[in-house]
């Protein structure tokens, strides 16, 4: 069977019964991407959406296909009442109902497009990927309070990957690659990363990884962002959930604070990573990075530095992951071996596999 075939687990090389875990909230956009000016075309989970902000402020997701002659609605324009198709002018409201056909009084009841359940929360637009049993949400979207926390400044971006979403999970769940892939930014000594003590815990469909690297050299990004005196005690805490991963990293001057104190000082970076399959072989990666300015006067400057360093870091990941997938296609259907750093990534894979089998 072809490696790009729909139902193959790329690591285990086994067949899987479904493409993506159902009954989950996935990120379909960052709030800042939606405007009342211009519609946004985006495919998530093989669903073609036009996303826009209604003039009343509401985020809207409709099927990106006009019911008249099938032009993408994302080629149209946003108006007071909704979105107008750019071909013959049908106007749709936020529920997908056609409310105006220029030059024709009667609007057929069939003149409508599908509206999808989305919700905006903490500056993130969440898309409900339901099932026959739960076509509408049976839970609230996840909470990500950092985006609304005045102690932090943040920004982010959306990256497109020509690779399946689970390769991005693997990458984020294994931070041992920092010492090889990210030497110019958040890396540091490869041996320190590979040998860092790692604690992995699982509760339901959540996996938590905690790594501590005491008395290590602060890497370039840290030195740029915070006046560390010398060596630092460094931490990484990763929390995996089915549709997104949060990573809290940072450092304090060595021996000044306890790394398990939630109120610890020092330099913090809090990453949000929404990983949403676009198709079975391509993905969207919605990321933001937040940090705590030690000097409020320099908050904007610090944000710019941290966001740029993060972009550089994720560009490095993108190159590796895209190359990795291309090589998997070039030399397909091979088994892989596991090493010690794979524990957390394998837990995440098992959770996805079980959800795919259950749905
Ligand atoms: S194709 Fe949209 S109005 Fe004709
Ligand atoms: Fe990375």
């Amino acid at each position: 069977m072809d490696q790009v075939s729909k139902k193959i687990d790329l690591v285990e090389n086994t067949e899987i019964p479904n493409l993506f875990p159902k009954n989950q909230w996935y990120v379909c956009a960052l709030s800042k991407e939606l405007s009342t000016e211009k519609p946004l075309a985006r495919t998530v989970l093989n669903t073609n959406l036009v996303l826009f902000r209604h003039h009343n402020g509401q985020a809207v997701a409709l099927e990106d296909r006009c019911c008249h002659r099938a032009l993408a609605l994302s080629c149209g324009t946003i108006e007071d009442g909704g979105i107008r198709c750019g071909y013959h002018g049908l106007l749709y409201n936020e529920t997908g109902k056609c409310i105006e056909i220029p030059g024709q009084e009667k609007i057929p009841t069939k003149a409508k497009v599908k509206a999808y359940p989305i919700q905006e929360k903490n500056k993130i637009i969440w898309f409900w990927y339901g099932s026959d049993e739960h076509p509408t949400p049976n839970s609230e979207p996840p909470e990500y309070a950092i985006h609304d926390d005045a102690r932090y400044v943040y920004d982010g971006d959306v990256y497109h990957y020509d690779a399946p979403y689970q390769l991005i999970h693997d990458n984020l769940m294994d931070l041992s690659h920092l010492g090889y892939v990210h030497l110019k930014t958040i890396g540091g000594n490869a041996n320190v990363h590979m040998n860092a003590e790692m604690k992995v815990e699982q509760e339901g469909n959540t996996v938590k990884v905690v790594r501590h690297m005491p008395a290590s050299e602060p890497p370039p990004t840290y030195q740029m962002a915070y006046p560390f005196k010398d060596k630092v005690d460094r931490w990484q805490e990763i929390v995996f959930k089915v549709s997104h991963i949060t990573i809290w990293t940072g450092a304090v001057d060595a021996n000044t604070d306890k790394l398990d104190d939630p109120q610890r000082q020092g330099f913090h970076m809090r990453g949000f990573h929404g990983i949403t399959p676009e198709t079975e072989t391509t993905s969207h990666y919605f990321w933001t990075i937040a940090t705590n300015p030690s000097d409020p006067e320099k908050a904007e400057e610090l944000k710019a530095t941290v966001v740029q360093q993060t972009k550089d870091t994720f560009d490095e990941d993108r190159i590796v992951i895209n190359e990795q997938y291309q090589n998997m296609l070039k030399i397909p259907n091979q088994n892989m071996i596991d090493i010690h750093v794979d524990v957390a990534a394998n837990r995440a894979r098992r959770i996805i596999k079980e959800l795919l089998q259950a749905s």
Side-chain angles (χ1 to χ4, degrees):
M1 192 182 284
D2 187 340
Q3 185 76 15
V4 292
S5 160
K6 293 182 175 183
K7 296 179 180 175
I8 292 288
D9 180 302
L10 288 175
V11 166
E12 292 192 9
N13 206 11
T14 52
E15 276 201 52
I16 46 176
N18 282 295
L19 290 179
F20 317 118
K22 292 179 181 160
N23 301 326
Q24 305 285 336
W25 289 100
Y26 289 86
V27 183
C28 67
L30 299 176
S31 286
K32 67 175 187 175
E33 291 187 276
L34 261 54
S35 78
T36 51
E37 305 296 316
K38 206 172 168 320
L40 173 70
R42 179 155 291 154
T43 300
V44 291
L45 302 129
N46 282 332
T47 312
N48 299 305
L49 305 177
V50 55
L51 295 161
F52 63 96
R53 199 174 285 289
H54 194 277
H55 280 193
N56 66 12
Q58 185 192 337
V60 180
L62 301 178
E63 181 184 0
D64 196 12
R65 178 190 176 278
C66 178
C67 68
H68 174 229
R69 288 293 182 268
L71 181 68
L73 288 179
S74 51
C75 299
T77 47
I78 303 165
E79 293 188 6
D80 255 354
I83 188 163
R84 190 179 294 279
C85 179
Y87 206 170
H88 314 96
L90 266 65
L91 180 67
Y92 298 88
N93 71 9
E94 71 281 9
T95 69
K97 188 173 176 304
C98 176
I99 52 171
E100 188 190 321
I101 301 178
Q104 175 175 324
E105 225 157 81
K106 188 159 167 29
I107 300 174
T109 44
K110 278 192 183 154
K112 59 181 179 195
V113 297
K114 192 168 162 65
Y116 292 92
I118 61 170
Q119 265 195 55
E120 187 164 20
K121 189 171 177 181
N122 306 125
K123 314 286 189 301
I124 298 166
I125 315 285
W126 295 93
F127 169 85
W128 175 252
Y129 184 63
S131 59
D132 291 344
E133 202 186 354
H134 297 293
T136 53
N138 66 349
S139 63
E140 285 300 307
E143 183 82 32
Y144 191 64
I146 297 295
H147 285 170
D148 295 308
D149 186 329
R151 288 172 302 174
Y152 287 89
V153 288
Y154 80 95
D155 202 359
D157 205 348
V158 185
Y159 279 20
H160 184 268
Y161 270 76
D162 287 318
Y165 70 108
Q166 284 191 278
L167 294 184
I168 308 175
H169 288 173
D170 291 348
N171 170 273
L172 292 166
M173 295 303 288
D174 144 43
L175 292 183
S176 66
H177 74 267
L178 267 63
Y180 295 97
V181 180
H182 303 310
L183 282 175
K184 292 193 217 98
T185 52
I186 54 170
N189 184 296
N191 270 334
V192 173
H193 280 287
M194 291 307 275
N195 293 312
E197 186 193 321
M198 181 164 79
K199 209 165 82 192
V200 181
E201 287 168 359
Q202 183 177 346
E203 210 182 300
N205 289 337
T206 299
V207 180
K208 185 172 180 190
V209 185
V210 177
R211 302 171 84 220
H212 289 169
M213 288 167 283
S216 46
E217 284 300 327
T221 302
Y222 287 38
Q223 289 181 16
M224 221 177 279
Y226 193 86
F228 287 114
K229 296 193 185 80
D230 188 10
K231 293 249 164 92
V232 294
D233 292 340
R234 213 176 147 183
W235 76 85
Q236 296 168 327
E237 293 190 12
I238 311 168
V239 178
F240 168 89
K241 293 183 187 286
V242 174
S243 65
H244 62 288
I245 294 171
T246 53
I247 304 183
W248 178 25
T249 54
V252 292
D253 279 312
N255 298 316
T256 57
D257 240 333
K258 286 213 166 61
L259 291 191
D260 52 7
D261 177 359
Q263 302 306 328
R264 58 193 178 267
Q265 304 293 307
F267 171 63
H268 297 228
M269 291 200 293
R270 289 188 180 263
F272 172 86
H273 312 259
I275 302 118
T276 305
E278 178 185 48
T279 66
E280 42 278 45
T281 56
T282 58
S283 314
H284 298 292
Y285 177 38
F286 303 90
W287 62 265
T288 68
I289 191 81
T291 191
N292 58 329
S294 52
D295 176 357
E297 300 254 300
K298 294 202 174 135
E300 283 305 307
E301 199 184 311
L302 174 68
K303 181 173 87 175
T305 303
V306 166
V307 169
Q308 188 55 50
Q309 293 273 309
T310 304
K311 267 188 207 287
D312 295 346
T313 306
F314 294 167
D315 284 343
E316 291 168 339
D317 284 314
R318 182 154 54 170
I319 291 169
V320 169
I321 294 171
N322 283 342
E323 286 287 340
Q324 176 194 18
Y325 183 53
Q326 284 309 307
N327 211 39
M328 291 165 90
L329 294 176
K330 197 159 101 188
I331 312 172
N333 303 325
Q334 304 292 312
N335 292 325
M336 298 187 188
I337 61 138
D338 287 338
I339 62 168
H340 65 111
V341 301
D342 300 318
V343 177
N346 285 348
R347 293 270 186 112
R349 281 193 167 266
R350 204 176 313 142
I351 288 168
I352 298 279
K353 191 174 176 183
E354 283 168 8
L355 287 170
L356 292 174
Q357 280 165 344
S359 55

